[in-house]
Amino acid sequence: MTNPILADWTTPFAVAPFDTISDDDFAPALERALATHNAEIDRIASTAEPPDFANTVEAMEAAGADLDKVLSVFFTVAGADSNPAREALQRDFSPRLAAHFAEISGNKPLFRRIAAVWQARDSLDLSDEQQRVLMLTHRSFVRAGAALEGDAELRMKEIKGRLATLGTGFTQNLLADERGWFMDLSEEELEGLPDFVVEAARAAGAEKEAAGPVVTLSRSLIVPFLQFSPRRDLREKAYRAWTARGANGGDTDNRDIAAEILTLREERARLLGYDSFAAYKLETEMARTPERVRELLMQVWTPAKAQADADAEKLTAMMQADGVNGPLEAWDWRYYAEKRRKAEHDLDEAELKPYLQLDRMIEAAFTCANRLFGLEFAPLDVALYHPDCRAWEVMRDGAHVAVFIGDYFARGSKRSGAWCSAMRSQAKFPETQTPVVINVCNFAKGDPALLSYDDARTLFHEFGHALHQMLSDVTYESISGTSVARDFVELPSQLYEHWLEVPEVLEEFATHAETGAAMPHDMLDKVLAAANFDMGFQTVEYVASALVDLAFHEGAAPADPMARQAEVLAGIGMPAAIGMRHATPHFAHVFAGDGYSSGYYSYMWSEVMDADAFAAFEEAGGAFDPERAKALEAHILSTGGSKEPEELYTAFRGRLPGVEALLKGRGLVAA
């Protein structure tokens, strides 16, 4: 019987046939796909033909199609709709996949062929894109340890396998802690909470099969609870549980895992001849060096901390006016900041939220993409992996462009956070394929589902990533879409957030859930005026996390990461009432895999560019200026990793930006 994962997919646009795939299909499909990929690699490495771009580099680009199918389906459901069977499979798959790719990168005959093509590159009459793919292929093999020999080569394979196992364990521990904790709320304890928080708590209670409403560790529920609950004791209990994820002792504790990961990363970097893992990791990013990263972060930290310290004094005074003595605590900040926002800006999130309906915000994101890039979105009836998911066909001028899938609601089977991934990336070789792109979020369910302003910004952010995938127009999949430097990948996503704040967008799409009325102009003015409210807090919690990440990887691995975290925070004068956005035991960006390790700063590096890039629209004909939109697509959104990011950004803007636009955009210039 044909395995449905490896069969030809006859679904519309060859979307994975989720309704025919069971968990029992994954292991045998992986076995066959690994064997097929190994055979393909062996043929490339052992051919008697002299190495050239077509029979070596392009042949590698064409290999692994079956494996791509298996992994695209599996990791989609493992992240967004996990269960015990999938978690067990992931624990088994992770080290096997690490070993598989380590074998490829350590394949000496294959590397000799790649190196030969690289040495002959100037005589091969390659296109610019082919030159880029060749350089990246050669560099990735060298950085993976292909030139290592003997014990060093064996040790590198061991390290990669162990890191894969540890990263999976870190993720699953975090999911277990998030899934396992909730706090029951009595009817009395609901007092003072806005209706949308009460409704979300009741929905969460139903999802947990609890006796009544609950607070969970989903950001879309716990943050508004911390903002609005007048019960300081309950806020403290919820906050402590939220920040203790991965640090509760027992089988799900991540602290020892983090320590081992950091030690292995340092050893990996030193095997390759680097002084530190940060030096190794940042070599291929825009930042290039740890010193440049630290310089940027400290340029932002100083005014952000000054703003946060000033804000803390005001919040402390408000708390003491309520009769609460003692210092402002981390579980107090959001509550009094919300009170302050209402007082200073006459803006109440409970009044704002009915105007931010999920469906209308999706429509807003789609309409902006239509006005900027001519994209059209039509609902698509295909089987997906969960009933909450929705799909759209993306078209332009009547031609198919992509499939877009949205999975927006929080649930116990989904890891926290929000992300964009491509089940299939755009490419023209070995045959033309259009992308299938997914946005995954964790918004609270409701009827209708209502978003906070931060939620709406997240929706636009992830859709910016999706546009980067959908508008990609390159030949080779390895440089398609978001296959760019880590500190460049956040530019399209953070840039797209700006369109949420365009007044005419909110005027059209911020309509009341019950009356359908547009957001009143005075409320719209208040929303825009308060866009930078509490920016000291937001910047401090983020930059602190980025500085800790950098410190972990900049020198010798700390024996006790928690002690090193405390040392870094003390050294920068971390305000006592603000916690890191991601403390070490739940810092999935850094410890679930290598993606953002030494690279959490990249959101801020990209923000330097996104603030400057949106200013280009404002300096031209406005937010929907057609010439700027055309340039954005031509030089950034369509180009993937076909050129160095500095070259792409300069082609769009004419120059590289400085930090001033970021500080101005965050309202931190005066501070």
Side-chain angles (χ1 to χ4, degrees):
M1 184 175 178
T2 303
N3 190 302
I5 305 176
L6 297 177
D8 290 334
W9 294 347
T10 58
T11 51
F13 310 110
V15 174
F18 288 104
D19 56 340
T20 69
I21 296 170
S22 74
D23 289 344
D24 293 336
D25 295 320
F26 287 119
L30 182 69
E31 291 288 349
R32 284 177 51 191
L34 288 174
T36 300
H37 196 211
N38 281 329
E40 292 168 334
I41 294 297
D42 287 344
R43 280 195 296 272
I44 298 168
S46 62
T47 181
E49 297 176 5
D52 60 27
F53 186 82
N55 67 24
T56 303
V57 179
E58 282 192 331
M60 290 175 61
E61 288 279 331
D66 282 354
L67 187 57
D68 287 344
K69 289 177 73 173
V70 176
L71 299 184
S72 70
V73 176
F74 178 72
F75 284 112
T76 293
V77 297
D81 192 27
S82 192
N83 60 33
R86 292 167 187 172
E87 290 173 9
L89 286 168
Q90 193 169 6
R91 288 192 294 271
D92 177 50
F93 287 3
S94 293
R96 294 189 61 201
L97 289 168
H100 172 74
F101 290 111
E103 284 294 328
I104 293 174
S105 63
N107 186 313
K108 299 301 183 185
L110 178 63
F111 180 57
R112 283 195 292 270
R113 292 183 67 84
I114 294 168
V117 180
W118 173 246
Q119 290 298 322
R121 62 191 180 278
D122 292 337
S123 63
L124 297 180
D125 193 27
L126 301 179
S127 69
D128 289 347
E129 188 175 332
Q130 289 172 329
Q131 288 274 12
R132 177 74 174 169
V133 170
L134 172 58
M135 184 278 290
L136 293 172
T137 302
H138 180 260
R139 187 177 73 181
S140 70
F141 268 72
V142 172
R143 286 171 56 79
L148 296 178
E149 302 282 353
D151 291 344
E153 179 185 6
L154 292 174
R155 181 57 183 156
M156 180 64 79
K157 291 179 180 178
E158 292 173 355
I159 289 172
K160 289 179 180 178
R162 181 60 178 160
L163 283 171
T165 298
L166 292 169
T168 297
F170 189 98
T171 302
Q172 293 190 351
N173 288 346
L174 183 54
L175 179 61
D177 276 5
E178 290 171 346
R179 186 168 52 204
W181 187 92
F182 60 87
M183 180 173 69
D184 292 297
L185 295 175
S186 67
E187 293 301 314
E188 180 183 357
E189 290 166 343
L190 295 174
E191 291 180 10
L193 296 176
D195 290 345
F196 75 86
V197 181
V198 173
E199 184 178 352
R202 295 194 191 281
E207 197 260 338
K208 293 290 186 185
E209 298 182 349
V214 303
V215 173
T216 68
L217 298 181
S218 169
R219 177 175 285 271
S220 62
L221 179 51
I222 198 166
V223 167
F225 181 80
L226 293 171
Q227 282 178 293
F228 292 105
S229 176
R231 287 284 300 270
R232 193 180 192 224
D233 57 331
L234 298 181
R235 297 200 309 268
E236 179 180 359
K237 182 178 178 182
Y239 181 84
R240 288 190 182 279
W242 193 32
T243 54
R245 291 168 294 157
N248 288 303
D251 293 340
T252 62
D253 198 294
N254 276 333
R255 287 171 286 191
D256 288 344
I257 291 178
E260 187 177 354
I261 286 173
L262 294 173
T263 299
L264 290 173
R265 284 178 180 163
E266 181 194 1
E267 184 181 359
R268 176 182 174 185
R270 293 193 185 280
L271 282 172
L272 293 170
Y274 294 88
D275 291 337
S276 68
F277 184 80
Y280 159 75
K281 187 69 183 296
L282 294 172
E283 180 183 52
T284 58
E285 308 298 333
M286 288 186 75
R288 305 297 181 202
T289 67
E291 292 75 23
R292 288 189 70 191
V293 173
R294 183 173 299 281
E295 180 184 4
L296 168 69
L297 292 174
M298 292 310 297
Q299 279 184 283
V300 179
W301 173 262
T302 301
K305 182 180 182 296
Q307 184 64 61
D309 287 341
D311 291 342
E313 292 183 11
K314 295 179 180 179
L315 300 184
T316 300
M318 294 173 66
M319 185 180 74
Q320 291 174 348
D322 278 352
V324 180
N325 296 317
L328 183 76
E329 300 286 359
W331 48 87
D332 297 318
W333 190 293
R334 288 176 174 85
Y335 179 71
Y336 285 100
E338 182 62 31
K339 279 191 164 188
R340 182 184 168 200
R341 179 168 71 159
K342 187 173 182 179
E344 293 186 2
H345 294 279
D346 193 22
L347 185 62
D348 184 346
E349 184 155 319
E351 295 178 8
L352 171 63
K353 201 158 185 176
Y355 290 96
L356 299 176
Q357 301 175 68
L358 171 61
D359 286 349
R360 294 292 278 155
M361 291 299 103
I362 294 171
E363 190 181 351
F366 287 177
T367 298
C368 289
N370 175 261
R371 293 183 62 182
L372 289 165
F373 311 114
L375 298 180
E376 299 172 335
F377 300 81
L380 185 61
D381 185 13
V382 290
L384 299 169
Y385 59 87
H386 192 278
D388 285 346
C389 296
R390 293 182 259 176
W392 293 265
E393 181 189 3
V394 186
M395 297 168 286
R396 180 155 60 182
D397 298 328
H400 176 75
V401 173
V403 171
F404 174 67
I405 299 169
D407 179 5
Y408 294 108
F409 296 123
R411 54 180 174 268
S413 61
K414 182 189 290 187
R415 64 180 169 89
S416 61
W419 63 94
C420 174
S421 60
M423 291 196 66
R424 182 176 66 231
S425 295
Q426 177 272 332
K428 300 173 186 175
F429 177 89
E431 58 187 17
T432 297
Q433 62 185 38
T434 55
V436 177
V437 188
I438 303 179
N439 275 179
V440 183
C441 300
N442 270 282
F443 303 142
K445 266 191 173 180
D447 186 21
L450 304 178
L451 306 183
S452 67
Y453 199 70
D454 189 53
D455 288 338
R457 187 180 288 113
T458 295
L459 187 148
F460 269 70
H461 178 102
E462 298 306 332
F463 194 72
H465 282 308
L467 288 171
H468 202 180
Q469 295 278 14
M470 293 188 288
L471 292 173
S472 179
D473 186 21
V474 298
T475 302
Y476 300 102
E477 186 173 350
S478 64
I479 56 169
S480 174
T482 57
S483 297
V484 299
R486 179 63 61 182
D487 49 10
F488 192 67
V489 76
E490 298 297 337
L491 169 60
S493 54
Q494 293 179 187
L495 176 58
Y496 205 64
E497 292 178 32
H498 288 272
W499 274 272
L500 175 62
E501 297 182 353
V502 173
E504 62 188 280
V505 173
L506 287 173
E507 286 171 357
E508 181 175 357
F509 295 101
T511 56
H512 198 279
E514 294 179 4
T515 67
M519 181 183 290
H521 279 285
D522 63 335
M523 182 180 286
L524 176 62
D525 292 342
K526 293 170 189 173
V527 168
L528 297 176
N532 285 326
F533 178 75
D534 213 22
M535 193 55 74
F537 170 90
Q538 295 178 41
T539 307
V540 160
E541 65 165 4
Y542 165 78
V543 175
S545 295
L547 286 166
V548 168
D549 166 43
L550 184 64
F552 279 162
H553 298 97
E554 209 173 358
D560 183 349
M562 299 304 293
R564 181 65 176 132
Q565 173 183 295
E567 181 184 354
V568 172
L569 297 181
I572 59 176
M574 182 73 170
I578 302 179
M580 293 169 62
R581 186 171 178 85
H582 302 289
T584 298
H586 53 262
F587 207 163
H589 279 80
V590 169
F591 293 107
D594 273 358
Y596 282 90
S597 55
S598 298
Y600 192 62
Y601 76 92
S602 58
Y603 290 93
M604 188 140 284
W605 190 276
S606 293
E607 190 177 341
V608 170
M609 290 180 285
D610 84 63
D612 181 67
F614 192 70
F617 280 85
E618 295 176 318
E619 292 163 10
F624 294 99
D625 180 75
E627 292 305 314
R628 287 290 82 202
K630 188 182 299 182
L632 180 63
E633 179 177 354
H635 298 301
I636 294 176
L637 296 178
S638 69
T639 50
S642 60
K643 296 179 180 179
E644 290 292 333
E646 294 92 340
E647 185 179 347
L648 295 175
Y649 190 85
T650 302
F652 165 71
R653 189 67 163 113
R655 55 168 173 73
L656 291 174
V659 74
E660 296 78 14
L662 179 149
L663 294 175
K664 180 180 178 183
R666 286 189 168 234
L668 298 174
V669 174

